[in-house]
Amino acid sequence: MKVYSIFRSGHFLVLLCLFTVESKKSPTVKHTCRKGLLSQVTENLYIKATSLKSSVPKDLIKNTRLLKKTTKMLFMTNCSVRNQLLSFYVKNVFNHLGVGSDKLYIISAFQVLQVNMNACLPCAPSARLTSAVKNLRKAFLKLGEKGIHKAIHELDILLPWIQEYIQTII
């Protein structure tokens, strides 16, 4: 059991170093599609998301959903929605959490996912927010502090979307 947890910790550190190197590359450097990394990062995100969810209050708001089925369809087909949704989580959700290794890992992982997804299927950046992300952000802000908790608990919705999308490009 100890060996497994040490391996997981070591594995975590290796991936964290990889994320750090990946995110510090010059913007002029071309990224290559690393499909294996996408799958590995997503698998590790499930573990970290479980830990993160246990550190925030339970989501008791049942009549509001941030990540809707229509947003999933757009996430699968529209690269702007994908980019904006991942950025939304990094900037609006995870940045409001306390300092910790889970937060650092998840932020790095989301950034690596975004860069690598774009390397696999290039996407022109959009200056305007898509209506799907605009509506999500509006509902999120309306909930205040509880919006952060709701968004974290909805990682159970977002992570399967990411995994399903990665399967389409692999």
Side-chain angles (χ1 to χ4, degrees):
M1 187 69 165
K2 264 188 175 179
V3 172
Y4 178 70
S5 68
I6 290 170
F7 171 74
R8 275 187 41 208
S9 298
H11 195 248
F12 167 73
L13 291 174
V14 168
L15 285 174
L16 189 57
C17 290
L18 182 64
F19 296 151
T20 305
V21 168
E22 190 75 29
S23 65
K24 292 192 192 273
K25 285 185 180 176
S26 166
T28 59
V29 172
K30 276 225 167 195
H31 294 278
T32 58
C33 180
R34 298 168 67 189
K35 296 173 184 174
L37 178 64
L38 288 172
S39 295
Q40 192 173 20
V41 169
T42 306
E43 287 174 28
N44 289 328
L45 270 172
Y46 276 101
I47 296 164
K48 293 300 176 186
T50 301
S51 172
L52 186 60
K53 283 178 16 184
S54 69
S55 71
V56 298
K58 189 175 180 178
D59 174 25
L60 300 174
I61 303 167
K62 301 300 178 195
N63 60 346
T64 302
R65 187 166 163 188
L66 299 175
L67 299 173
K68 301 177 183 204
K69 290 178 184 179
T70 54
T71 308
K72 178 186 180 184
M73 289 185 291
L74 291 170
F75 181 87
M76 295 301 180
T77 59
N78 186 320
C79 62
S80 292
V81 170
R82 245 184 333 275
N83 280 336
Q84 291 174 12
L85 190 54
L86 294 176
S87 293
F88 169 81
Y89 263 83
V90 169
K91 293 174 186 169
N92 298 98
V93 179
F94 303 138
N95 274 337
H96 293 344
L97 300 174
V99 177
S101 63
D102 285 343
K103 174 189 172 182
L104 177 63
Y105 179 89
I106 288 178
I107 288 173
S108 296
F110 267 65
Q111 290 169 336
V112 168
L113 283 172
Q114 195 168 14
V115 166
N116 281 287
M117 283 180 186
N118 285 338
C120 293
L121 289 170
C123 177
S126 173
R128 287 186 13 200
L129 271 182
T130 58
S131 61
V133 176
K134 202 181 288 185
N135 292 338
L136 170 114
R137 188 166 189 251
K138 193 167 133 183
F140 172 81
L141 292 172
K142 187 177 176 182
L143 295 172
E145 175 97 10
K146 292 178 182 178
I148 296 167
H149 306 149
K150 179 142 206 73
I152 290 169
H153 284 279
E154 287 193 8
L155 284 170
D156 286 344
I157 297 169
L158 181 60
L159 291 176
W161 292 3
I162 293 170
Q163 195 168 34
E164 186 177 328
Y165 174 73
I166 290 169
Q167 293 304 315
T168 67
I169 60 176
I170 292 182

